[in-house]
Amino acid sequence: MSVTGIATLVIGVGLGLIVLLALARTVRIVPQASAGIVERLGRYQRTLDPGLHFLVPFIDRLRPLVDMREQVVAFPPQPVITQDNVTISIDTVFYFTVTDAFRATYEVASLLTAIEQLTVTTLRNVIGSLTLEDVLTSRDKINADLRIVLDEATERWGLRVNRIELKSIDPPSSIQEAMEKQMRAERERRAVIINAEGVKQAQITTAEGEKQAAILTAEGSRQATILTAEGDKQARILEAQGEAEATRQVFQAIHDGDPSPDLLTYQYIQNLPRIADGHSTKLMIIPSDAVATMGAVAALGGGFETGRETAADERPGPPAT
């Protein structure tokens, strides 16, 4: 091969490489959730969305792609002084999303460093206005306050602060020991209160049970009294019914026997002593026909008595001497 042929081959290979390099610099593919900044002759030209794009070789330059997904940055522990002059160490986690690739590229030189310094400064301002107790018990409020302040400050950088979290809050060892003693005392106090509350509830329950027992006992006594009275009432009713039935049967028997008036009068006279035997009897009413009958009986009795005397007179005496 002649020198001319070799030179032609070298020139052809060089031109091929140049063409390949030009094609490589012309065709650009931007992946999903990314954005590309194109500069033409050193000046901003446009922003590339995800997809296939063509650039002017050797004139347009594509800067490093900007990630448009949510990003997480964990910052090292930072010493912060609270309002009551207690130095604590706080770890923070920052969640943000790039909303404007142009601002994120040209408005700040080092994005992560700027976010870290802004977060530390804002954290010290917020924590400095709170006491240690408020910091330990108001973590959600601190997160919300930090997010509001940082979102306003980073808006000009093309960022949106999604949230910021306090990973850990570490007070000094002396403060931790004092807090543990306080928590131990608080737990003991709560145990005493709970125990006393349990005793109180037990006493209340016992008193309530005694009250219910007394109520049930009184109710049982009342029911027993009512049942006893009801039984006495039923017994008296049955006794009265029995007496009424007996009287009815007696009168029915008398009626069936058809007694004469003299027999009735005689029975009445026989029962007069029994009627007058009562200690509370003050007045006894005797029918008029009974008085007449009693007179006749008395007269008859007198006759009987006279007869008995006459017979006695008629009996022979002792012989005379």
Side-chain angles (χ1 to χ4, degrees):
M1 182 180 294
S2 63
V3 176
T4 304
I6 296 174
T8 302
L9 180 60
V10 171
I11 292 173
V13 171
L15 290 176
L17 293 175
I18 292 173
V19 171
L20 292 176
L21 180 60
L23 291 175
R25 295 178 65 89
T26 299
V27 179
R28 288 289 188 270
I29 297 176
V30 178
Q32 183 67 33
S34 298
I37 300 297
V38 177
E39 294 178 349
R40 177 168 294 177
L41 300 177
R43 298 186 61 181
Y44 170 76
Q45 201 271 332
R46 69 181 186 275
T47 300
L48 302 182
D49 296 327
L52 178 64
H53 299 276
F54 297 94
L55 305 179
V56 178
F58 307 107
I59 296 177
D60 293 340
R61 184 174 73 90
L62 180 64
R63 294 181 62 92
L65 298 178
V66 179
D67 195 346
M68 306 298 289
R69 296 172 297 179
E70 183 178 22
Q71 302 182 46
V72 182
V73 179
F75 301 132
Q78 299 293 329
V80 182
I81 301 176
T82 61
Q83 187 180 16
D84 48 357
N85 296 324
V86 177
T87 302
I88 57 178
S89 179
I90 299 180
D91 294 350
T92 55
V93 180
F94 189 83
Y95 297 84
F96 69 95
T97 303
V98 177
T99 58
D100 191 338
F102 174 81
R103 291 184 179 183
T105 303
Y106 295 106
E107 294 293 337
V108 60
S110 178
L111 182 61
L112 295 181
T113 303
I115 292 175
E116 179 181 0
Q117 296 302 317
L118 180 61
T119 302
V120 172
T121 303
T122 307
L123 181 64
R124 288 176 178 174
N125 292 334
V126 174
I127 300 298
S129 61
L130 301 174
T131 61
L132 177 60
E133 184 177 359
D134 294 336
V135 173
L136 296 176
T137 58
S138 305
R139 183 172 297 190
D140 293 338
K141 181 178 181 301
I142 295 173
N143 293 337
D145 293 342
L146 288 174
R147 179 183 175 278
I148 292 174
V149 175
L150 291 174
D151 196 18
E152 293 178 354
T154 57
E155 183 180 3
R156 59 189 178 88
W157 296 343
L159 302 181
R160 182 181 69 247
V161 179
N162 298 327
R163 62 185 184 276
I164 183 169
E165 302 289 343
L166 303 181
K167 287 179 59 179
S168 63
I169 301 175
D170 299 326
S173 58
S174 59
I175 300 297
Q176 291 182 3
E177 293 176 0
M179 292 172 59
E180 290 177 358
K181 291 180 180 179
Q182 181 180 1
M183 293 175 61
R184 191 180 303 113
E186 182 66 20
R187 285 194 296 268
E188 292 176 356
R189 184 182 70 86
R190 291 182 180 178
V192 172
I193 292 175
I194 292 174
N195 188 18
E197 186 68 22
V199 173
K200 174 185 174 182
Q201 291 297 329
Q203 293 177 352
I204 292 174
T205 303
T206 302
E208 187 67 23
E210 293 177 354
K211 174 184 175 183
Q212 294 295 330
I215 293 174
L216 292 176
T217 302
E219 183 67 20
S221 300
R222 188 179 70 86
Q223 293 293 333
T225 303
I226 293 173
L227 292 176
T228 301
E230 187 69 24
D232 293 341
K233 174 184 175 182
Q234 293 296 330
R236 292 178 182 179
I237 292 174
L238 293 176
E239 183 179 357
Q241 291 177 353
E243 292 178 357
E245 182 65 22
T247 302
R248 188 186 64 79
Q249 291 180 3
V250 169
F251 276 100
Q252 185 66 32
I254 293 173
H255 180 72
D256 294 341
D258 193 15
S260 63
D262 295 337
L263 179 61
L264 294 176
T265 303
Y266 178 76
Q267 290 294 328
Y268 181 78
I269 294 171
Q270 290 293 327
N271 286 290
L272 281 178
R274 193 182 309 169
I275 296 173
D277 191 31
H279 296 288
S280 61
T281 303
K282 301 299 181 181
L283 178 65
M284 184 172 65
I285 300 174
I286 300 175
S288 60
D289 56 350
V291 174
T293 304
M294 290 173 63
V297 173
L300 182 60
F304 289 151
E305 188 68 27
T306 304
R308 284 195 296 271
E309 291 177 357
T310 305
D313 291 341
E314 292 179 353
R315 284 182 297 181
T321 57

